Amino acid sequence: MAGFDVLKNDLLLRTARGERVERPPIWVMRQAGRYLPEYHQAKGNKDFFACCRSPEIASTLTLQPIDRYDGLIDAAIIFSDILVIPQAMGMNVEMLDKKGPHFPNPLTSPTDGQYEQLMDRKVDVAQELDYVYQAITMTRHKLKGRVPLYGFCGAPWTLLCYMVEGGGSKLFVQVKTWIYKYPSQSKKLLQKIAELCVEYLAHQVKAGAQIIQVFDSWAAELSPASFKEFALPYLRYISEHLPPRLKELRLESVPMVVFAKGAWYALDDLCDSGYQVVGLDWLQDPAEAMRIAHGRAVLQGNADPGVLYGDKDAITAVVQEMVQGFAGGKQGWIANLGHGVTPFVNPDNLKFFFEEIHRFTAAENRPSTKV
């Protein structure tokens, strides 16, 4: 895109395209966040969503891990939240301290009045979420081509969960009630969300995102059959409709990543879902995942984030096993955690995690000394 510096490190984009590379690229989900002391300094006492809506603050937070782990990671991901789409649809979303996202007025039934309003409302994501696009463009300029920038959105199923549960949940009573009691109305809303996701992601690419990821954080709450009915069709809708939408905007296609946390049973389907990269959580064995993928998609993941609470020996063991499971990572693997960085992680432990991936994959690069 005109006006941006030439990308100096394209390792991740080459990997996402399925090319053979010199080493696996590295980044982690939630690498910009509350485990970093500089995050709290920049955020101050500002509301979480106020930070998302400030392009300057969002850009600053996005760059913090790139600066801290300079030379160790190969991508940035824009600081934002998956729940900006429900906000753009007119729902009120708050971020409560020590609790997480909260919808004061969640959807209760298809006849609650709010459902009809959501379905009838014309949502202009280009206008409603302009602050995200501003943050992306600003971040691209600040990166000066150091690493590529991820854009992202929440998957329709996961967004539906939040919109009817009113926040996180252990039992998911409300969303299960919706899909099993009101399946047709649920699917209509899932379709509307999917269409908004396409438009939102397209405008992120227009603003400067070089790769996009769709987060289906609550995929594990669905059975295999229910996943095929209420999640997979809408993930496929996004992957099928984003490239032509980009073409309409006279933009080049970008690699697309899908991360359906906990949907280990759906890996085969996800590898055929139109995404170039499939994210794995830590419940999947890397070697088995490679066998199932069989070159159809690049894999991203998948160390247990909890290892970052451990000591260096534990981190080394997990990294070594992961590198071996992904066959050294010369092709088809983006190194990552199996979910986002969790609170209270020591940033130095994450640095050691990155350094160990570099060490083990560099060892893979060295020629044999055998005569």
Side-chain angles (χ1 to χ4, degrees), residues 11 14-15 18-25 290 323 326-333 360-366:
L11 178 65
R14 286 188 284 125
T15 301
E19 297 178 20
R20 187 166 179 82
V21 291
E22 55 274 21
R23 65 169 177 84
M290 291 282 280
V323 170
F326 287 109
K330 292 295 189 313
Q331 190 169 22
W333 177 42
F360 280 107
T361 55
E364 291 282 339
N365 281 325
R366 282 198 290 268

PDB file of all heavy atoms in Angstrom, residues 11 14-15 18-25 290 323 326-333 360-366:
ATOM      1  N   LEU A  11       9.300 -12.820   6.678  1.00  0.00           N
ATOM      2  CA  LEU A  11       9.377 -14.243   7.004  1.00  0.00           C
ATOM      3  C   LEU A  11       8.001 -14.830   7.278  1.00  0.00           C
ATOM      4  O   LEU A  11       7.649 -15.905   6.785  1.00  0.00           O
ATOM      5  CB  LEU A  11      10.298 -14.452   8.209  1.00  0.00           C
ATOM      6  CG  LEU A  11      10.457 -15.884   8.710  1.00  0.00           C
ATOM      7  CD1 LEU A  11      11.144 -16.753   7.667  1.00  0.00           C
ATOM      8  CD2 LEU A  11      11.245 -15.912  10.032  1.00  0.00           C
ATOM      9  N   ARG A  14       5.818 -15.057   4.080  1.00  0.00           N
ATOM     10  CA  ARG A  14       6.285 -16.144   3.214  1.00  0.00           C
ATOM     11  C   ARG A  14       5.845 -17.493   3.762  1.00  0.00           C
ATOM     12  O   ARG A  14       5.413 -18.388   3.029  1.00  0.00           O
ATOM     13  CB  ARG A  14       7.817 -16.097   3.067  1.00  0.00           C
ATOM     14  CG  ARG A  14       8.306 -14.966   2.173  1.00  0.00           C
ATOM     15  CD  ARG A  14       9.794 -15.068   1.906  1.00  0.00           C
ATOM     16  NE  ARG A  14      10.597 -14.639   3.037  1.00  0.00           N
ATOM     17  CZ  ARG A  14      11.535 -15.372   3.626  1.00  0.00           C
ATOM     18  NH1 ARG A  14      11.778 -16.612   3.206  1.00  0.00           N
ATOM     19  NH2 ARG A  14      12.233 -14.899   4.631  1.00  0.00           N
ATOM     20  N   THR A  15       5.952 -17.640   5.080  1.00  0.00           N
ATOM     21  CA  THR A  15       5.522 -18.890   5.718  1.00  0.00           C
ATOM     22  C   THR A  15       4.028 -19.100   5.531  1.00  0.00           C
ATOM     23  O   THR A  15       3.573 -20.206   5.205  1.00  0.00           O
ATOM     24  CB  THR A  15       5.869 -18.863   7.217  1.00  0.00           C
ATOM     25  OG1 THR A  15       7.279 -18.687   7.370  1.00  0.00           O
ATOM     26  CG2 THR A  15       5.442 -20.155   7.896  1.00  0.00           C
ATOM     27  N   GLY A  18       2.932 -20.663   2.498  1.00  0.00           N
ATOM     28  CA  GLY A  18       3.329 -22.051   2.317  1.00  0.00           C
ATOM     29  C   GLY A  18       4.734 -22.246   1.800  1.00  0.00           C
ATOM     30  O   GLY A  18       5.128 -23.370   1.467  1.00  0.00           O
ATOM     31  N   GLU A  19       5.536 -21.166   1.737  1.00  0.00           N
ATOM     32  CA  GLU A  19       6.888 -21.282   1.220  1.00  0.00           C
ATOM     33  C   GLU A  19       7.818 -21.945   2.237  1.00  0.00           C
ATOM     34  O   GLU A  19       7.593 -21.894   3.438  1.00  0.00           O
ATOM     35  CB  GLU A  19       7.432 -19.884   0.861  1.00  0.00           C
ATOM     36  CG  GLU A  19       6.662 -19.192  -0.243  1.00  0.00           C
ATOM     37  CD  GLU A  19       7.191 -17.800  -0.540  1.00  0.00           C
ATOM     38  OE1 GLU A  19       8.363 -17.513  -0.187  1.00  0.00           O
ATOM     39  OE2 GLU A  19       6.444 -16.987  -1.119  1.00  0.00           O
ATOM     40  N   ARG A  20       8.876 -22.552   1.718  1.00  0.00           N
ATOM     41  CA  ARG A  20       9.923 -23.086   2.582  1.00  0.00           C
ATOM     42  C   ARG A  20      10.770 -21.911   3.060  1.00  0.00           C
ATOM     43  O   ARG A  20      11.127 -21.027   2.282  1.00  0.00           O
ATOM     44  CB  ARG A  20      10.776 -24.101   1.819  1.00  0.00           C
ATOM     45  CG  ARG A  20      11.779 -24.829   2.708  1.00  0.00           C
ATOM     46  CD  ARG A  20      12.363 -26.055   2.008  1.00  0.00           C
ATOM     47  NE  ARG A  20      13.325 -26.707   2.875  1.00  0.00           N
ATOM     48  CZ  ARG A  20      13.025 -27.549   3.852  1.00  0.00           C
ATOM     49  NH1 ARG A  20      11.747 -27.848   4.062  1.00  0.00           N
ATOM     50  NH2 ARG A  20      13.955 -28.109   4.597  1.00  0.00           N
ATOM     51  N   VAL A  21      11.082 -21.886   4.355  1.00  0.00           N
ATOM     52  CA  VAL A  21      11.758 -20.729   4.951  1.00  0.00           C
ATOM     53  C   VAL A  21      12.985 -21.170   5.746  1.00  0.00           C
ATOM     54  O   VAL A  21      13.186 -22.356   6.023  1.00  0.00           O
ATOM     55  CB  VAL A  21      10.801 -19.943   5.871  1.00  0.00           C
ATOM     56  CG1 VAL A  21       9.723 -19.252   5.056  1.00  0.00           C
ATOM     57  CG2 VAL A  21      10.170 -20.855   6.923  1.00  0.00           C
ATOM     58  N   GLU A  22      13.800 -20.174   6.121  1.00  0.00           N
ATOM     59  CA  GLU A  22      15.040 -20.459   6.827  1.00  0.00           C
ATOM     60  C   GLU A  22      14.825 -20.823   8.293  1.00  0.00           C
ATOM     61  O   GLU A  22      15.617 -21.529   8.905  1.00  0.00           O
ATOM     62  CB  GLU A  22      15.993 -19.259   6.718  1.00  0.00           C
ATOM     63  CG  GLU A  22      15.439 -17.922   7.191  1.00  0.00           C
ATOM     64  CD  GLU A  22      14.653 -17.167   6.131  1.00  0.00           C
ATOM     65  OE1 GLU A  22      14.165 -17.788   5.149  1.00  0.00           O
ATOM     66  OE2 GLU A  22      14.490 -15.940   6.295  1.00  0.00           O
ATOM     67  N   ARG A  23      13.739 -20.329   8.883  1.00  0.00           N
ATOM     68  CA  ARG A  23      13.367 -20.668  10.254  1.00  0.00           C
ATOM     69  C   ARG A  23      11.895 -20.327  10.423  1.00  0.00           C
ATOM     70  O   ARG A  23      11.329 -19.548   9.648  1.00  0.00           O
ATOM     71  CB  ARG A  23      14.208 -19.886  11.277  1.00  0.00           C
ATOM     72  CG  ARG A  23      13.978 -18.377  11.249  1.00  0.00           C
ATOM     73  CD  ARG A  23      14.609 -17.670  12.451  1.00  0.00           C
ATOM     74  NE  ARG A  23      14.435 -16.230  12.368  1.00  0.00           N
ATOM     75  CZ  ARG A  23      13.350 -15.570  12.768  1.00  0.00           C
ATOM     76  NH1 ARG A  23      12.311 -16.234  13.257  1.00  0.00           N
ATOM     77  NH2 ARG A  23      13.280 -14.247  12.669  1.00  0.00           N
ATOM     78  N   PRO A  24      11.224 -20.883  11.421  1.00  0.00           N
ATOM     79  CA  PRO A  24       9.813 -20.534  11.617  1.00  0.00           C
ATOM     80  C   PRO A  24       9.664 -19.121  12.175  1.00  0.00           C
ATOM     81  O   PRO A  24      10.428 -18.709  13.051  1.00  0.00           O
ATOM     82  CB  PRO A  24       9.333 -21.569  12.642  1.00  0.00           C
ATOM     83  CG  PRO A  24      10.569 -21.959  13.393  1.00  0.00           C
ATOM     84  CD  PRO A  24      11.679 -21.910  12.381  1.00  0.00           C
ATOM     85  N   PRO A  25       8.709 -18.354  11.677  1.00  0.00           N
ATOM     86  CA  PRO A  25       8.443 -17.044  12.268  1.00  0.00           C
ATOM     87  C   PRO A  25       7.782 -17.204  13.640  1.00  0.00           C
ATOM     88  O   PRO A  25       7.173 -18.243  13.926  1.00  0.00           O
ATOM     89  CB  PRO A  25       7.492 -16.388  11.269  1.00  0.00           C
ATOM     90  CG  PRO A  25       6.805 -17.538  10.614  1.00  0.00           C
ATOM     91  CD  PRO A  25       7.799 -18.658  10.560  1.00  0.00           C
ATOM     92  N   MET A 290       0.241 -32.011  12.159  1.00  0.00           N
ATOM     93  CA  MET A 290       0.942 -31.950  10.874  1.00  0.00           C
ATOM     94  C   MET A 290       0.478 -33.080   9.959  1.00  0.00           C
ATOM     95  O   MET A 290       0.313 -32.899   8.751  1.00  0.00           O
ATOM     96  CB  MET A 290       2.452 -32.033  11.097  1.00  0.00           C
ATOM     97  CG  MET A 290       3.062 -30.820  11.767  1.00  0.00           C
ATOM     98  SD  MET A 290       3.306 -29.419  10.665  1.00  0.00           S
ATOM     99  CE  MET A 290       4.816 -29.904   9.825  1.00  0.00           C
ATOM    100  N   VAL A 323       9.165 -27.794  18.695  1.00  0.00           N
ATOM    101  CA  VAL A 323       9.963 -27.692  17.472  1.00  0.00           C
ATOM    102  C   VAL A 323      10.079 -29.059  16.798  1.00  0.00           C
ATOM    103  O   VAL A 323       9.932 -29.185  15.577  1.00  0.00           O
ATOM    104  CB  VAL A 323      11.358 -27.113  17.775  1.00  0.00           C
ATOM    105  CG1 VAL A 323      12.280 -27.219  16.553  1.00  0.00           C
ATOM    106  CG2 VAL A 323      11.244 -25.653  18.218  1.00  0.00           C
ATOM    107  N   PHE A 326       6.750 -30.053  15.116  1.00  0.00           N
ATOM    108  CA  PHE A 326       6.508 -29.361  13.855  1.00  0.00           C
ATOM    109  C   PHE A 326       7.663 -29.560  12.878  1.00  0.00           C
ATOM    110  O   PHE A 326       7.840 -28.774  11.938  1.00  0.00           O
ATOM    111  CB  PHE A 326       6.270 -27.866  14.104  1.00  0.00           C
ATOM    112  CG  PHE A 326       4.925 -27.566  14.722  1.00  0.00           C
ATOM    113  CD1 PHE A 326       4.828 -27.147  16.045  1.00  0.00           C
ATOM    114  CD2 PHE A 326       3.760 -27.717  13.987  1.00  0.00           C
ATOM    115  CE1 PHE A 326       3.593 -26.871  16.617  1.00  0.00           C
ATOM    116  CE2 PHE A 326       2.518 -27.440  14.554  1.00  0.00           C
ATOM    117  CZ  PHE A 326       2.436 -27.024  15.873  1.00  0.00           C
ATOM    118  N   ALA A 327       8.417 -30.612  13.084  1.00  0.00           N
ATOM    119  CA  ALA A 327       9.468 -31.041  12.149  1.00  0.00           C
ATOM    120  C   ALA A 327      10.506 -29.954  11.877  1.00  0.00           C
ATOM    121  O   ALA A 327      11.016 -29.833  10.766  1.00  0.00           O
ATOM    122  CB  ALA A 327       8.839 -31.519  10.840  1.00  0.00           C
ATOM    123  N   GLY A 328      10.803 -29.166  12.890  1.00  0.00           N
ATOM    124  CA  GLY A 328      11.856 -28.163  12.755  1.00  0.00           C
ATOM    125  C   GLY A 328      11.399 -26.837  12.205  1.00  0.00           C
ATOM    126  O   GLY A 328      12.103 -25.835  12.297  1.00  0.00           O
ATOM    127  N   GLY A 329      10.217 -26.810  11.615  1.00  0.00           N
ATOM    128  CA  GLY A 329       9.614 -25.551  11.233  1.00  0.00           C
ATOM    129  C   GLY A 329      10.099 -24.894   9.970  1.00  0.00           C
ATOM    130  O   GLY A 329       9.914 -23.695   9.767  1.00  0.00           O
ATOM    131  N   LYS A 330      10.724 -25.653   9.077  1.00  0.00           N
ATOM    132  CA  LYS A 330      11.196 -25.043   7.823  1.00  0.00           C
ATOM    133  C   LYS A 330      10.061 -24.730   6.851  1.00  0.00           C
ATOM    134  O   LYS A 330      10.218 -23.959   5.928  1.00  0.00           O
ATOM    135  CB  LYS A 330      12.179 -25.976   7.112  1.00  0.00           C
ATOM    136  CG  LYS A 330      13.497 -26.167   7.832  1.00  0.00           C
ATOM    137  CD  LYS A 330      14.268 -24.873   7.897  1.00  0.00           C
ATOM    138  CE  LYS A 330      15.666 -25.093   8.400  1.00  0.00           C
ATOM    139  NZ  LYS A 330      15.719 -25.931   9.588  1.00  0.00           N
ATOM    140  N   GLN A 331       8.927 -25.372   7.066  1.00  0.00           N
ATOM    141  CA  GLN A 331       7.779 -25.142   6.186  1.00  0.00           C
ATOM    142  C   GLN A 331       6.511 -25.509   6.936  1.00  0.00           C
ATOM    143  O   GLN A 331       6.445 -26.535   7.614  1.00  0.00           O
ATOM    144  CB  GLN A 331       7.892 -25.984   4.911  1.00  0.00           C
ATOM    145  CG  GLN A 331       6.872 -25.623   3.843  1.00  0.00           C
ATOM    146  CD  GLN A 331       7.184 -26.295   2.517  1.00  0.00           C
ATOM    147  OE1 GLN A 331       7.872 -27.310   2.471  1.00  0.00           O
ATOM    148  NE2 GLN A 331       6.692 -25.735   1.423  1.00  0.00           N
ATOM    149  N   GLY A 332       5.518 -24.621   6.840  1.00  0.00           N
ATOM    150  CA  GLY A 332       4.201 -24.960   7.370  1.00  0.00           C
ATOM    151  C   GLY A 332       3.983 -24.704   8.833  1.00  0.00           C
ATOM    152  O   GLY A 332       3.015 -25.211   9.402  1.00  0.00           O
ATOM    153  N   TRP A 333       4.818 -23.860   9.482  1.00  0.00           N
ATOM    154  CA  TRP A 333       4.625 -23.616  10.915  1.00  0.00           C
ATOM    155  C   TRP A 333       4.968 -22.185  11.280  1.00  0.00           C
ATOM    156  O   TRP A 333       6.052 -21.688  10.948  1.00  0.00           O
ATOM    157  CB  TRP A 333       5.482 -24.568  11.748  1.00  0.00           C
ATOM    158  CG  TRP A 333       5.384 -24.333  13.230  1.00  0.00           C
ATOM    159  CD1 TRP A 333       4.247 -24.056  13.952  1.00  0.00           C
ATOM    160  CD2 TRP A 333       6.455 -24.351  14.182  1.00  0.00           C
ATOM    161  NE1 TRP A 333       4.546 -23.907  15.282  1.00  0.00           N
ATOM    162  CE2 TRP A 333       5.897 -24.093  15.456  1.00  0.00           C
ATOM    163  CE3 TRP A 333       7.826 -24.584  14.081  1.00  0.00           C
ATOM    164  CZ2 TRP A 333       6.668 -24.037  16.615  1.00  0.00           C
ATOM    165  CZ3 TRP A 333       8.595 -24.536  15.237  1.00  0.00           C
ATOM    166  CH2 TRP A 333       8.018 -24.267  16.483  1.00  0.00           C
ATOM    167  N   PHE A 360      16.638 -23.472  19.125  1.00  0.00           N
ATOM    168  CA  PHE A 360      16.385 -24.818  18.617  1.00  0.00           C
ATOM    169  C   PHE A 360      16.191 -24.839  17.111  1.00  0.00           C
ATOM    170  O   PHE A 360      16.571 -25.801  16.442  1.00  0.00           O
ATOM    171  CB  PHE A 360      15.176 -25.433  19.324  1.00  0.00           C
ATOM    172  CG  PHE A 360      15.496 -25.983  20.686  1.00  0.00           C
ATOM    173  CD1 PHE A 360      15.082 -25.326  21.833  1.00  0.00           C
ATOM    174  CD2 PHE A 360      16.238 -27.149  20.821  1.00  0.00           C
ATOM    175  CE1 PHE A 360      15.388 -25.823  23.093  1.00  0.00           C
ATOM    176  CE2 PHE A 360      16.551 -27.660  22.078  1.00  0.00           C
ATOM    177  CZ  PHE A 360      16.122 -26.988  23.218  1.00  0.00           C
ATOM    178  N   THR A 361      15.597 -23.784  16.556  1.00  0.00           N
ATOM    179  CA  THR A 361      15.414 -23.780  15.107  1.00  0.00           C
ATOM    180  C   THR A 361      16.697 -23.396  14.390  1.00  0.00           C
ATOM    181  O   THR A 361      16.917 -23.812  13.246  1.00  0.00           O
ATOM    182  CB  THR A 361      14.255 -22.846  14.696  1.00  0.00           C
ATOM    183  OG1 THR A 361      14.486 -21.535  15.216  1.00  0.00           O
ATOM    184  CG2 THR A 361      12.938 -23.377  15.222  1.00  0.00           C
ATOM    185  N   ALA A 362      17.563 -22.634  15.052  1.00  0.00           N
ATOM    186  CA  ALA A 362      18.889 -22.368  14.476  1.00  0.00           C
ATOM    187  C   ALA A 362      19.696 -23.647  14.446  1.00  0.00           C
ATOM    188  O   ALA A 362      20.436 -23.922  13.502  1.00  0.00           O
ATOM    189  CB  ALA A 362      19.617 -21.289  15.283  1.00  0.00           C
ATOM    190  N   ALA A 363      19.547 -24.462  15.491  1.00  0.00           N
ATOM    191  CA  ALA A 363      20.251 -25.745  15.530  1.00  0.00           C
ATOM    192  C   ALA A 363      19.798 -26.626  14.376  1.00  0.00           C
ATOM    193  O   ALA A 363      20.580 -27.369  13.786  1.00  0.00           O
ATOM    194  CB  ALA A 363      19.986 -26.444  16.862  1.00  0.00           C
ATOM    195  N   GLU A 364      18.503 -26.499  14.036  1.00  0.00           N
ATOM    196  CA  GLU A 364      17.990 -27.264  12.903  1.00  0.00           C
ATOM    197  C   GLU A 364      18.647 -26.811  11.592  1.00  0.00           C
ATOM    198  O   GLU A 364      18.755 -27.567  10.645  1.00  0.00           O
ATOM    199  CB  GLU A 364      16.472 -27.063  12.794  1.00  0.00           C
ATOM    200  CG  GLU A 364      15.668 -27.701  13.919  1.00  0.00           C
ATOM    201  CD  GLU A 364      15.507 -29.183  13.747  1.00  0.00           C
ATOM    202  OE1 GLU A 364      15.653 -29.655  12.628  1.00  0.00           O
ATOM    203  OE2 GLU A 364      15.244 -29.866  14.740  1.00  0.00           O
ATOM    204  N   ASN A 365      19.082 -25.553  11.568  1.00  0.00           N
ATOM    205  CA  ASN A 365      19.654 -25.003  10.339  1.00  0.00           C
ATOM    206  C   ASN A 365      21.123 -25.397  10.138  1.00  0.00           C
ATOM    207  O   ASN A 365      21.633 -25.324   9.040  1.00  0.00           O
ATOM    208  CB  ASN A 365      19.576 -23.472  10.349  1.00  0.00           C
ATOM    209  CG  ASN A 365      18.177 -22.982   9.993  1.00  0.00           C
ATOM    210  OD1 ASN A 365      17.511 -23.599   9.176  1.00  0.00           O
ATOM    211  ND2 ASN A 365      17.745 -21.899  10.603  1.00  0.00           N
ATOM    212  N   ARG A 366      21.796 -25.726  11.256  1.00  0.00           N
ATOM    213  CA  ARG A 366      23.220 -25.978  11.143  1.00  0.00           C
ATOM    214  C   ARG A 366      23.480 -27.272  10.381  1.00  0.00           C
ATOM    215  O   ARG A 366      22.806 -28.277  10.589  1.00  0.00           O
ATOM    216  CB  ARG A 366      23.857 -26.080  12.541  1.00  0.00           C
ATOM    217  CG  ARG A 366      24.079 -24.708  13.193  1.00  0.00           C
ATOM    218  CD  ARG A 366      25.063 -24.830  14.321  1.00  0.00           C
ATOM    219  NE  ARG A 366      24.513 -25.547  15.444  1.00  0.00           N
ATOM    220  CZ  ARG A 366      23.884 -24.981  16.479  1.00  0.00           C
ATOM    221  NH1 ARG A 366      23.687 -23.683  16.480  1.00  0.00           N
ATOM    222  NH2 ARG A 366      23.444 -25.698  17.479  1.00  0.00           N
TER     223      ARG A 366
END
